[in-house]
Amino acid sequence: MRGLGIGLIGTGYMGKCHALAWNNVASVFGDVARPRLVALAEVNAELAAKKAAEFGFETATGNWRDLLANPEIDVISVTTPNAFHPEMAIAALDAGKHVWCEKPMAPAYADAVRMKDAAARSGRTAVMGYNYIQNPMIRHIRRLIDEGAIGTVNHVRVEMDEDFMADPFVPFYWKSEAASGYGALDDFAVHPLSLLFTLFGHVGTVVADLVKPYAERPLKEGGNRAVENHDVASVLMTLEGGISAVLMANRSAWGRKGRIALQIFGSAGTILFDQERMNEFQIYEAGGRAEEQGFRTVLAAPHHPPYDRFIPAPGHGLGFNDLKVIECRELIAAIGGDKAHVIDFEDGLRIEQSVHAMARSFAERRWVAV
Amino acid sequence: MRGLGIGLIGTGYMGKCHALAWNNVASVFGDVARPRLVALAEVNAELAAKKAAEFGFETATGNWRDLLANPEIDVISVTTPNAFHPEMAIAALDAGKHVWCEKPMAPAYADAVRMKDAAARSGRTAVMGYNYIQNPMIRHIRRLIDEGAIGTVNHVRVEMDEDFMADPFVPFYWKSEAASGYGALDDFAVHPLSLLFTLFGHVGTVVADLVKPYAERPLKEGGNRAVENHDVASVLMTLEGGISAVLMANRSAWGRKGRIALQIFGSAGTILFDQERMNEFQIYEAGGRAEEQGFRTVLAAPHHPPYDRFIPAPGHGLGFNDLKVIECRELIAAIGGDKAHVIDFEDGLRIEQSVHAMARSFAERRWVAV
Amino acid sequence: MRGLGIGLIGTGYMGKCHALAWNNVASVFGDVARPRLVALAEVNAELAAKKAAEFGFETATGNWRDLLANPEIDVISVTTPNAFHPEMAIAALDAGKHVWCEKPMAPAYADAVRMKDAAARSGRTAVMGYNYIQNPMIRHIRRLIDEGAIGTVNHVRVEMDEDFMADPFVPFYWKSEAASGYGALDDFAVHPLSLLFTLFGHVGTVVADLVKPYAERPLKEGGNRAVENHDVASVLMTLEGGISAVLMANRSAWGRKGRIALQIFGSAGTILFDQERMNEFQIYEAGGRAEEQGFRTVLAAPHHPPYDRFIPAPGHGLGFNDLKVIECRELIAAIGGDKAHVIDFEDGLRIEQSVHAMARSFAERRWVAV
Amino acid sequence: MRGLGIGLIGTGYMGKCHALAWNNVASVFGDVARPRLVALAEVNAELAAKKAAEFGFETATGNWRDLLANPEIDVISVTTPNAFHPEMAIAALDAGKHVWCEKPMAPAYADAVRMKDAAARSGRTAVMGYNYIQNPMIRHIRRLIDEGAIGTVNHVRVEMDEDFMADPFVPFYWKSEAASGYGALDDFAVHPLSLLFTLFGHVGTVVADLVKPYAERPLKEGGNRAVENHDVASVLMTLEGGISAVLMANRSAWGRKGRIALQIFGSAGTILFDQERMNEFQIYEAGGRAEEQGFRTVLAAPHHPPYDRFIPAPGHGLGFNDLKVIECRELIAAIGGDKAHVIDFEDGLRIEQSVHAMARSFAERRWVAV
């Protein structure tokens, strides 16, 4: 069996993360042909060569378009800044390549639509890099919900908090510009939205409140500049299945580093999860003797596939980068026409639609239907 | 120094809780005259006599109005079902007694207004039984906020969750009747509102979503009956000082027993608290060496007054009933004309106003100003 | 039914704690006659009078022997410094009073033996103030063990840690003198030993290691003085039933405030408890679906008597002082000839024997049988 | 720069783990030449070929001795069952290869000595696979101790608990045979010993207690067989620097999956760590305002190298397999003659000596010097 030929665009954090995934997926899973790392593209040709050597790619180029014409390449990983996603992803699809694109799709909604259309007409696999949905804990939670372990879900709360914008003395930079987006909403609320979609389906109606913790920020050159978007977002919403949800995102939350906290309430129990302790979840199941009822903390274990492919012993822990390896395996499944647990460009577009609806709800101070 | 003469109406849980408070306040604090437990009123005269003996009251009566005329009584504790609060509290105030009334004020807003007016014209002390604000941890959090320990607060989340309505097979009873109120909102969201008020001031504008986890409940006699109020409430709001807040209340939250969880985000740190672990709070203070930054779990200690009046050693723990003893001490301070940490009938009324505004916001699907 | 007549010796922390217990026991439990607080003794007569008024005692005296002759007094609470316990407890027993004595019995083993003998010949109830065994969580753990919830227990670890001796710059004071005892062993390891006894029975053989974290401490007047006892104790032991145990005590454990942590390993599960979070315990029960196995955190609730006597709602929390109220109720049961959950002078003596055996084991660097 | 040539013996869990490490070390660290995966040895030649393809090895062989003569191979990973370690490691060293050998060295002490001697005479790098010491949290704890962040360490407790032997109904198998070793002591107490060594140095004197939770286990063929070693080990010990320590290991601890819990007490603070939550540690530093003192939970972050080589954002989490990648980087440093954080055969031997001393202490019921 010939392994897929891989082209990678970008060598930043996500570039490295994709490279690790392509290097590991065969060793970890043992059920797919080892991919062939054909070519690495990076605008700085010298850096491209250095990184190709590190990452194990056979060739390097300073021109990403070189990958399009290379017949040995089957899949292209797009890990460049968001603004480049539409051009690169569409070109790759048009060239007949499968595409694995980091989230979000594009700053402009129209571009995201074009990406979805390109994927549809190409007949190729086009998958977004929503890695948190690949956590075996999340997968198991989905299984539990499907099995009815907590009955019918009626209410959900999800929080995503980090503190990279928490310091008011950090000089103004592009993340506070309106051109970069709405702020917390599109900068990272798309992650919890990917989880809500995975577990419960798409968003129906929303009412959102956005907050600027700091009206302005200092400029390096002296003086201040008004902040143009919102670091905090709070949203009431209904999900397709009739579940009500509260989404909260705060990129100015001192002390939170990678919190994505889920509370899922059902008619027969409750499930809790927090990505900061990504190797565990809590479940409360109604029933049993009252005297010993309580939340059970379950540690990740081989019982929660595909944890077993990484480690045969329970409680030893996966890492953030391992989620990308799982995502890579799912991508390969999708390419092979198998059932795969991925967010493709069509679902990705709907996630971005819901973000735009939230922003509109805030601007107009009213409930809005996605 | 003569101790206050006490009359108590009610012998249910809150009656007992008040009785314990009156019995303990002098022993614990050592700075007030020991109250004299004059008379206990309870509609069942036999029970009244039995409980008076247990609780240490000198006399008992089956008619609460007997307390009004008793010149030995200075303060009346009202711990009967909510519907009786207006009549009893107003009569007591009109008779020149101070009043300590369990929350909430009254099912009907107009009655709550009448209570506030009675308090105002009486010149007596009229205090609501919002005990959670008395937790030394909450007091210390207020001190930290006042001192600027976490800078300027910009965002707050508060959750109150229990599971006494979580079981869909529990037969319909009065708590699901519209006559009993809105459901989660007034049944217990008033508690987190008392905390928000204590820490940040009153509520400005709100948008609320209310949810019925179960459309109907079984009747004991067979068949089902439609549920008339909402077990889940989610509210976006602004507080007076311009802080944005999210309030979430769920009385159908399986596994939650007495959760009142606060997340307070400021420009220089974050504070966390959960009443289920009422003897600790967490604080993250920006600054210090990056390598060891993190949330600090602080255990209740004599450094957090009035914990020191109960226990001279740190980390040993107060209980829920101790909060009522503290509240009792604050009530005595208020009666004595001293600065006191209480929610009087005027502030209590504003809390209930905000609840009604939330209900209106839900009914009209729009933002509403309190 | 006439309530017991109470005499109290001592007005320090434990004096206050006993006073609160005598004041509350009838209100909380509702099944015993309200005790009559007859007389308070305290060497400072003026303080005695002040505290008697605060605590609700009818009379006060500067001479504790006045209590012995008072026919209205049935029980005497002894809460004075340890050195006074033998004289007072023996005199009280000889005078026909029941005795409730704070732990430990006496600094000298011979005195403890005399106390036990006095209790035996008096025919009166003589109970030690080991309050931690009264925690409803501990009681429930005992029930679980008795029911076989975790199978046959085979191994136990218990840690008791505080930090009141952790600061090396605190000047030398009596707690570091050999005359005050062995240090961590008798100063507070008796508490975890009371738990081990309650749950598993008495200690068989031991090997102990004692440590001085600081060889000397500063003197207030300048210079240093050698520390004469040991702040850290570690003990391997076998319990009567053949269970092996590890006991660890550290009164120089920075950051620990009231930790008494139990780990109980059985053939079918594990139970965990920590007094710093005294309103919860954890249980892992083997069995059930592997995918959701984990430790369940159980919050204290009315299902765990006598929590129900204090609070009718789950998860609201008892406090440290409430344990003394429970202990008081058990004492009353013992006096009434009912089955009671107490540590009497005979069992108390055996706990102190095991402490002496540990000290001997350390001195002789060998295993020792109690 | 030419990358190291790698030979790997074994394709079980640790074989895979080594393979992942060799595949990732260059991509992750970016400062070493990418190793060349030359040959994979596995007694089953067919499996060897399959795994070589998965893991990215150029060639495969059914005879591990083929690796010795291969001039392209610089380093040999030995990941076979313990009994094969001496023969393979010694042969590899004698052939001039560097060796990376999984722990422990050998079942028999004499063989471990031979391994150490072979390493010494070869002049090659010989490193044991003690991966837990590579956790960035452990490294940072060592740095904190070196910096005096918690003053002078005076007492340490370490627990290692799992539950793979907890079920008494699991049939007797080789792990319960005396031939396999002492049980908990050598089966996994060597891991916490590697941490104690890394942080504090070697063990001085010990007294140990070993326990058989189950005297016998069922045989598959019916009947029972006596268990020959001990699933529980508890040890009091002194470390070289005069620190006292308690080591506890239990492989029958229901619910524990990968617990390695450290409690490090110093004159100015305390540090806590638990491998089950491998991406965090707790620190209590004496000093600061008393009202907010507490244990700080610190999440793994780029401030804790080499976390930064894996992930540029804090709080996102490394996994168990990542520790092997770090170990691999340290091995490469050692081979290159750089300062490296590894346990070589000499230190590895001393760890095994301490295990044998513990077993002797138990057999003779006395304190023993290592």
Side-chain angles (χ1 to χ4, degrees), chain C residues 161-201:
Chain C
D161 300 317
E162 300 195 8
D163 65 3
F164 57 90
M165 300 295 279
D167 190 341
F169 301 111
V170 164
F172 189 101
Y173 74 116
W174 64 267
K175 276 202 181 257
S176 291
E177 288 181 32
S180 79
Y182 306 119
L185 263 192
D186 39 8
D187 194 28
F188 66 31
V190 290
H191 279 301
L193 285 168
S194 74
L195 294 174
L196 290 180
F197 165 65
T198 292
L199 297 169
F200 309 110

Side-chain angles (χ1 to χ4, degrees), chain A residues 210-216 226-232 252 362, chain B residues 154:
Chain A
L210 307 185
V211 176
K212 290 179 187 173
Y214 315 119
E216 48 186 28
V227 168
E228 298 169 1
N229 57 20
H230 299 83
D231 294 336
V232 181
S252 292
F362 170 66
Chain B
N154 52 60

